[in-house]
Amino acid sequence: MDSKKQAPAKYYVGIDVGSASVRAALVDEFGTVMAHADQPIQIWEPQPDHYEQSSADIWAACCSVTKKVVSGVDASQVRGVGFDATCSLVVVDKQFQPLAVNCEGQSYRNIIMWMDHRAVSQVERINATQHKVLSYVGGVMSVEMQPPKLLWIKENLQESCWEKAGHFFDLPDFLSWKATGVTARSLCTVVCKWTYTSDGGWDDSFWKMIGLEDLVKDKYEKIGNHVLSPGESVGKGLTPEAAKDLGLPEGIAVAASLIDAHAGGLGVIGADVKGHNLPCENQPITSRVAVICGTSSCHMGVSETPIFVPGVWGPYFSAMVPGLWLNEGGQSATGQLIDHVVRGHVAFPELQSKAAASAHSIYTYLNSHLDLIKKSLPVGFLTVDLHVWPDFHGNRSPLTDLTLKGMVVGLTLSRGLDELALIYLATIQAIALGTRHILETMQAAGHQINTLFLCGGLSKNPLFVQMHADITGKPVVLSKEVESVLVGAAILGACASGDFASIQVCS
């Protein structure tokens, strides 16, 4: 045993709010996850394409999981907290109380989720303006961004919500406000989802043109006129109330946040790959794309100069990695799509019981079942006569067509487990083909990509990873630390604490 006194360990908390759950991790100064916990959060679907959540429910879950992960250490050793979250829209009144974003007047449901597609007519009108800010979102704004949602609220909930609203937050910014009492926004959120530009700020003419001139009149107080870089320290750290809620000491540094996909990208894209004979070794970080695959998937590529990619969001300056331009492709439904296809099949109850009997997850069981029926050919050839078009929730990139629907071609009268396994495989292949389409579009515009870095829940599925490698023809790198999104959030906290000089040093 080494009898020399060692300096007390330093820890950072990363809190990740996904679509269906909140997770937290305690991460040490070397990037190792020491403890993690998760808790489900509620989603309401009052009508088709309307998805809502509760900011109170989400904050309560953040507090619960954080208390769990710090319970085993001296809280005084925790130096910083970083949040990431889905880019959902949170609405509160002038006293920061929740406002209903629904016609039922249910004020606790005060979040319009990122995947909500209620604002179809609004986004069509916004895109018809052909305003210059649209060139920074691939030429066409997505219904999943915030301006169409704001316009929908104004046109449908004028008296009950729009006129009473004091602040419209992106969810990551709501969390940093809840922790610090400071309404500053992250450059990541406002640039990627709100049309802010890092050099020019808000464009008055855009908001006036789309009918939201009210936001200009109040000098953008409701959507943010104080913008910080991701990882920058917010205010004076944790307020006494937030500290008590989270089980941490008052004043701990809180970082300006990131969108969840961007935290995942930050957590993996700078990984050390020396000695693995990968094409990106000794190449700039611009040769890599991070694919964050969970409920949906995001494809994050960086460049030293701005690259305008038709149908792909960006270029966004310093939105993920400081000093680099970000392009973000995406698929609106991936994990959600696989779940939908598998659970909706008539053989799902049989799958459930057999998976339970073998003490495996349904997807581990399906993967092993495919290995049983593949015979001598590689598993990918099983679907030679079965094809899925995966745009069940529209196409985000690169077709930017939210009206597209899903399709399955090659169905038979078979109703058994073999058929379920095959449609599961075909769905994964369709998602991988969508990734290939996005990568080819980015490369045609000027990106030089040779390696994929995968993280998120689906990256834990070896079949999903293998199909992406096979179909894109590029090597796939998985992080040694599987909780890359949480590590990305913790990197923000480490940066805010002042223990590291910059995000690049933390990474």
Side-chain angles (χ1 to χ4, degrees):
M1 294 285 288
D2 185 356
S3 60
K4 291 179 185 174
K5 279 192 175 180
Q6 291 186 328
K10 294 177 181 176
Y11 298 111
Y12 311 93
V13 174
I15 302 169
D16 163 48
V17 180
S19 298
S21 67
V22 174
R23 305 181 306 144
L26 184 72
V27 179
D28 71 11
E29 57 201 294
F30 307 106
T32 305
V33 174
M34 309 302 291
H36 65 91
D38 63 89
Q39 183 169 314
I41 49 178
Q42 196 161 352
I43 298 173
W44 287 268
E45 189 181 355
Q47 53 186 292
D49 286 336
H50 287 229
Y51 296 93
E52 297 169 6
Q53 289 184 311
S54 158
S55 62
D57 177 49
I58 287 173
W59 180 250
C62 289
C63 297
S64 174
V65 292
T66 301
K67 283 177 177 174
K68 285 177 185 173
V69 300
V70 301
S71 62
V73 299
D74 180 348
S76 67
Q77 293 174 271
V78 178
R79 304 271 300 153
V81 178
F83 293 95
D84 74 76
T86 64
C87 49
S88 300
L89 178 68
V90 187
V91 187
V92 295
D93 65 17
K94 293 173 179 65
Q95 287 74 46
F96 296 94
Q97 297 303 305
L99 278 173
V101 294
N102 47 71
C103 300
E104 296 87 359
Q106 302 286 343
S107 60
Y108 60 90
R109 286 161 34 203
N110 66 318
I111 297 177
I112 300 179
M113 286 186 73
W114 64 269
M115 63 192 204
D116 186 290
H117 282 193
R118 70 182 67 183
V120 172
S121 69
Q122 286 78 14
V123 81
E124 286 173 350
R125 280 180 274 138
I126 289 170
N127 285 326
T129 67
Q130 297 185 322
H131 194 280
K132 63 184 179 181
V133 299
L134 300 179
S135 65
Y136 285 90
V137 291
V140 181
M141 179 168 284
S142 168
V143 70
E144 295 172 8
M145 292 181 175
Q146 309 302 7
K149 291 179 175 128
L150 293 170
L151 189 54
W152 184 92
I153 290 172
K154 182 176 181 179
E155 293 178 349
N156 291 273
L157 303 172
Q158 172 91 29
E159 293 182 9
S160 63
C161 184
W162 183 258
E163 291 176 0
K164 294 179 180 177
H167 299 273
F168 298 101
F169 286 106
D170 217 277
L171 181 53
D173 296 324
F174 169 82
L175 296 171
S176 62
W177 165 76
K178 191 74 175 168
T180 65
V182 175
T183 61
R185 305 313 205 265
S186 166
L187 185 69
C188 174
T189 59
V190 292
V191 165
C192 295
K193 308 300 173 190
W194 297 72
T195 73
Y196 189 91
T197 59
S198 50
D199 53 352
W202 299 115
D203 188 312
D204 293 0
S205 66
F206 169 71
W207 296 101
K208 291 174 181 176
M209 188 178 285
I210 68 170
L212 294 179
E213 61 284 345
D214 330 36
L215 300 175
V216 182
K217 285 177 189 168
D218 73 6
K219 296 180 178 159
Y220 299 104
E221 185 181 354
K222 289 182 180 178
I223 61 172
N225 49 24
H226 179 204
V227 178
L228 300 174
S229 295
E232 201 173 335
S233 184
V234 180
K236 297 178 181 178
L238 285 181
T239 64
E241 184 182 4
K244 184 180 177 184
D245 286 348
L246 293 163
L248 291 168
E250 177 185 344
I252 284 176
V254 176
S257 54
L258 281 171
I259 299 166
D260 55 348
H262 301 62
L266 183 63
V268 296
I269 202 165
D272 181 359
V273 297
K274 289 190 180 94
H276 294 280
N277 200 30
L278 288 162
C280 64
E281 187 174 350
N282 301 317
Q283 295 291 314
I285 196 173
T286 52
S287 65
R288 309 174 178 195
V289 159
V291 185
I292 300 86
C293 31
T295 302
S296 63
S297 287
C298 296
H299 307 71
M300 322 291 276
V302 292
S303 57
E304 292 182 0
T305 56
I307 299 175
F308 293 84
V309 186
V312 173
W313 297 344
Y316 303 133
F317 186 65
S318 289
M320 185 175 78
V321 180
L324 294 177
W325 294 85
L326 171 70
N327 280 110
E328 178 186 350
Q331 295 159 290
S332 293
T334 49
Q336 182 188 23
L337 175 62
I338 294 167
D339 219 36
H340 174 78
V341 168
V342 169
R343 291 178 182 274
H345 196 278
V346 68
F348 179 68
E350 180 189 354
L351 168 65
Q352 235 179 347
S353 62
K354 287 188 173 178
S358 66
H360 287 124
S361 74
I362 57 173
Y363 296 115
T364 300
Y365 189 88
L366 280 173
N367 292 351
S368 62
H369 191 78
L370 286 165
D371 283 335
L372 285 175
I373 62 177
K374 72 179 184 182
K375 297 176 183 171
S376 59
L377 288 172
V379 70
F381 287 87
L382 285 170
T383 50
V384 65
D385 295 319
L386 182 64
H387 311 287
V388 172
W389 183 267
D391 295 327
F392 285 47
H393 200 50
N395 183 284
R396 188 190 297 170
S397 305
L399 302 178
T400 64
D401 187 344
L402 60 89
T403 68
L404 284 175
K405 303 291 186 285
M407 180 168 59
V408 182
V409 178
L411 291 173
T412 70
L413 292 175
S414 171
R415 295 159 56 89
L417 202 51
D418 285 4
E419 180 72 10
L420 171 51
L422 291 178
I423 198 168
Y424 158 72
L425 171 60
T427 303
I428 287 177
Q429 289 172 324
I431 292 167
L433 285 162
T435 292
R436 177 172 156 179
H437 192 188
I438 291 165
L439 295 178
E440 288 174 347
T441 305
M442 291 174 71
Q443 288 173 153
H447 281 276
Q448 296 182 342
I449 300 158
N450 57 35
T451 311
L452 306 185
F453 288 69
L454 262 61
C455 67
L458 287 175
S459 70
K460 299 170 187 176
N461 183 334
L463 182 69
F464 185 90
V465 175
Q466 188 64 56
M467 289 302 105
H468 273 71
D470 291 349
I471 286 169
T472 64
K474 298 185 188 300
V476 172
V477 178
L478 299 178
S479 172
K480 183 179 178 183
E481 179 49 72
V482 296
E483 300 295 348
S484 302
V485 178
L486 284 167
V487 171
I491 284 171
L492 297 173
C495 189
S497 73
D499 291 343
F500 297 85
S502 67
I503 278 181
Q504 286 95 324
V505 173
C506 295
S507 304

